[in-house]
Amino acid sequence: MAGGGDELKLLGMWASPFVLRVKLALSFKGLSYEYVEENLRDKSELLLKSSPVQKKVPVLIHNGKPICESQIIVQYLDEVYSTTGPSFLPVDPYERAMARFWAAFIDDKFLASWLKAGRGKTEHEKAEGLRETFAAVETLERAFKECSKGKPFFGGDSVGYLDIALGALVAWMRTAEVRHGIRLFDASRSPLLEKWVERFGKLEEVVRVMPDIDRLVEHAKLREAEVAAAAANN
């Protein structure tokens, strides 16, 4: 993989979709980097120093300078390594703005409602979150049609910024399907996105960094049990 003499270090946690977002960008760019797995219950001095405000992963350290927030890191990599690998963001200013808009929608609407469906305190709240999630899926289906212009990916013929933004959530979507039987992208609700998931998941750059679904399932069960135990003790 390319490196160009630059020193790239990624601080992450294997199950985090936000860390995966950065891994995908690095993979598609073909960049070499050092990966440091963080214990989020006992955060390293390097993480606390590199992300003093949020104290969260991912953090990309480029030649000693830390960059935080997954979407910002992906944009940073696209700008710094503009001549390496594919370009993630479109050249046209309007299309770039639209890509950023939909990336924000993925996190602020789609992911937020999905988390609400899984973590709601009441069954009503969970059901409401699921309804909002499916509504967001239908909106993303229209966004894919608009952005892809009939081509295989959000980025057109090749993977772009939105493919990485949404693609980082695919492993957890599959985990949810295994655990709860809920398929967010299906032929009836989102046929374009259903086919997109299949295409995206088969790409070599994706397979290289995608976490194991069985391991994610066990991780999710463990976290759910810990949350339940903590709630019972309160």
Side-chain angles (χ1 to χ4, degrees):
M1 299 175 81
D6 285 353
E7 181 181 292
L8 290 169
K9 180 180 292 186
L10 175 61
L11 310 184
M13 186 271 181
W14 72 272
S16 167
F18 303 107
V19 173
L20 179 57
R21 193 173 274 167
V22 180
K23 287 182 177 180
L24 285 167
L26 290 163
S27 184
F28 280 109
K29 285 289 186 181
L31 296 168
S32 299
Y33 63 97
E34 177 187 351
Y35 177 70
V36 179
E37 178 73 12
E38 285 285 341
N39 179 356
L40 300 184
R41 294 177 179 175
D42 184 19
K43 297 173 182 178
S44 71
E45 286 299 318
L46 180 59
L47 174 59
L48 297 175
K49 178 183 176 182
S50 301
S51 181
V53 176
Q54 295 174 318
K55 301 178 176 62
K56 294 180 179 180
V57 294
V59 177
L60 181 73
I61 303 175
H62 181 205
N63 292 334
K65 297 179 180 179
I67 305 98
C68 306
E69 289 284 348
S70 63
Q71 291 197 22
I72 292 173
I73 295 171
V74 173
Q75 292 181 45
Y76 177 84
L77 289 169
D78 199 36
E79 293 173 3
V80 173
Y81 298 97
S82 59
T83 60
T84 303
S87 294
F88 300 143
L89 283 159
V91 174
D92 180 79
Y94 177 77
E95 292 182 356
R96 287 171 75 92
M98 287 299 97
R100 290 185 171 119
F101 170 84
W102 286 117
F105 179 89
I106 288 168
D107 283 358
D108 298 342
K109 298 296 184 181
F110 171 67
L111 180 57
S113 59
W114 185 18
L115 290 175
K116 180 180 176 180
R119 300 176 181 176
K121 294 180 180 179
T122 65
E123 290 305 313
H124 174 75
E125 189 175 349
K126 290 179 179 179
E128 184 180 41
L130 195 57
R131 285 194 298 271
E132 292 172 358
T133 302
F134 287 142
V137 167
E138 292 175 1
T139 301
L140 283 174
E141 176 80 355
R142 294 193 295 271
F144 180 82
K145 185 176 182 179
E146 174 187 315
C147 295
S148 66
K149 299 178 176 65
K151 295 181 178 179
F153 301 102
F154 279 98
D157 290 318
S158 61
V159 164
Y161 184 57
L162 290 177
D163 296 286
I164 291 172
L166 186 58
L169 305 178
V170 167
W172 275 105
M173 289 185 214
R174 290 174 174 162
T175 300
E177 184 176 356
V178 170
R179 293 200 66 214
H180 307 295
I182 298 174
R183 187 166 189 164
L184 296 183
F185 297 164
D186 63 17
S188 62
R189 184 181 303 106
S190 51
L192 297 177
L193 287 174
E194 182 189 43
K195 292 178 181 178
W196 168 82
V197 166
E198 293 177 6
R199 284 192 297 270
F200 185 80
K202 292 177 182 177
L203 296 173
E204 180 182 345
E205 296 89 345
V206 175
V207 173
R208 188 184 299 141
V209 297
M210 193 65 73
D212 179 73
I213 302 303
D214 290 339
R215 189 182 179 198
L216 278 179
V217 168
E218 292 307 311
H219 174 75
K221 288 179 180 178
L222 178 62
R223 290 290 298 126
E224 190 175 279
E226 290 173 345
V227 170
N233 292 329
N234 291 334

